[in-house]
């Protein structure tokens, strides 16, 4: 089973694809990870369209069984960022729905609870756990990629129980 984790962002949207066997205690295997970005010279709707088309291509190429997406939370100091991220998240959810791929959403605190056993762990702790779990030489960069892989791992572990 292929799980696609997504960390939606307007500047950079991270994604990570893992292969896992249902009802298995084996560690999920990394298939591919990367990020989608859009041309900063284009207007907002055109940038959303770019992200949407890139994401559709990933869905077509890898045919994931599930998509795990970070849920939007607003930081009081940056409410506009949450709005932009919400738009990106919307096109991600739309693309998955159009291909009838089940989607699951998780807040960062849920991901940390599942991966670290503690919901208030740091971003760096989560990234190091992703690195260790997947046997990577270094923490995936940019941060959005590590966060997307954490989403996919979270869903892989949640779907086992």
């Amino acid at each position: 089973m292929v799980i696609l984790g997504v960390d939606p962002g307007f500047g950079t949207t991270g994604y990570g694809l893992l292969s896992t066997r249902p009802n298995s205690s084996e560690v999920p295997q990394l298939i591919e990870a990367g990020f989608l970005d859009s041309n900063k010279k284009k207007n907002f709707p055109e940038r959303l369209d770019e992200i949407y088309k890139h994401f559709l291509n990933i869905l077509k190429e890898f045919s994931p069984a599930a998509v795990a997406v970070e849920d939007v939370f607003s930081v009081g100091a940056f409410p506009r960022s949450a709005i932009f991220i919400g738009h990106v998240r919307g096109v991600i959810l739309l693309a998955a729905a159009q291909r009838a791929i089940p989607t699951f959403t998780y807040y960062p605190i849920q991901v940390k609870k599942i991966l670290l056993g503690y919901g208030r762990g740091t971003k760096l702790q989560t990234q190091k756990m992703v690195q260790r779990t997947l046997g990577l030489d270094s923490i995936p960069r940019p941060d959005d990629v590590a966060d997307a892989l954490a989403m996919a791992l979270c869903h892989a572990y949640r779907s086992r129980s």
Side-chain angles (χ1 to χ4, degrees):
M1 177 171 86
V2 175
I3 298 171
L4 172 57
V6 182
D7 178 27
F10 190 59
T12 303
T13 293
Y15 71 91
L17 290 136
L18 300 178
S19 175
T20 186
R21 286 193 226 174
N23 304 318
S24 169
S25 61
E26 293 177 16
V27 174
Q29 299 298 305
L30 176 65
I31 299 171
E32 179 176 302
F35 61 93
L36 311 173
D37 57 4
S38 58
N39 186 336
K40 291 173 178 49
K41 294 179 182 178
K42 291 187 176 183
N43 67 34
F44 186 67
E46 291 171 323
R47 290 181 74 182
L48 286 175
D49 186 54
E50 269 189 90
I51 293 167
Y52 171 77
K53 287 176 180 170
H54 289 311
F55 192 71
L56 271 180
N57 287 334
I58 291 170
L59 295 178
K60 288 175 187 172
E61 182 177 352
F62 294 100
S63 300
V67 176
V69 184
E70 184 172 313
D71 222 334
V72 176
F73 67 99
S74 178
V75 178
F78 304 102
R80 283 184 50 113
S81 294
I83 293 168
F84 286 125
I85 292 168
H87 288 296
V88 172
R89 191 170 177 276
V91 299
I92 298 297
L93 295 174
L94 172 64
Q98 288 175 332
R99 296 190 56 89
I101 301 169
T103 58
F104 302 85
T105 60
Y106 301 100
Y107 287 106
I109 196 169
Q110 292 174 291
V111 174
K112 291 174 184 179
K113 177 87 171 152
I114 288 170
L115 296 186
L116 304 173
Y118 175 65
R120 299 287 181 197
T122 68
K123 188 174 191 80
L124 182 59
Q125 288 173 319
T126 305
Q127 292 169 340
K128 285 185 176 185
M129 183 59 78
V130 167
Q131 176 189 359
R132 251 181 275 143
T133 302
L134 297 177
L136 306 174
D137 293 332
S138 60
I139 293 171
R141 297 284 180 217
D143 291 350
D144 310 277
V145 174
D147 293 346
L149 287 168
M151 282 290 139
L153 281 170
C154 172
H155 184 70
Y157 294 149
R158 285 283 303 259
S159 64
R160 290 179 181 170
S161 57

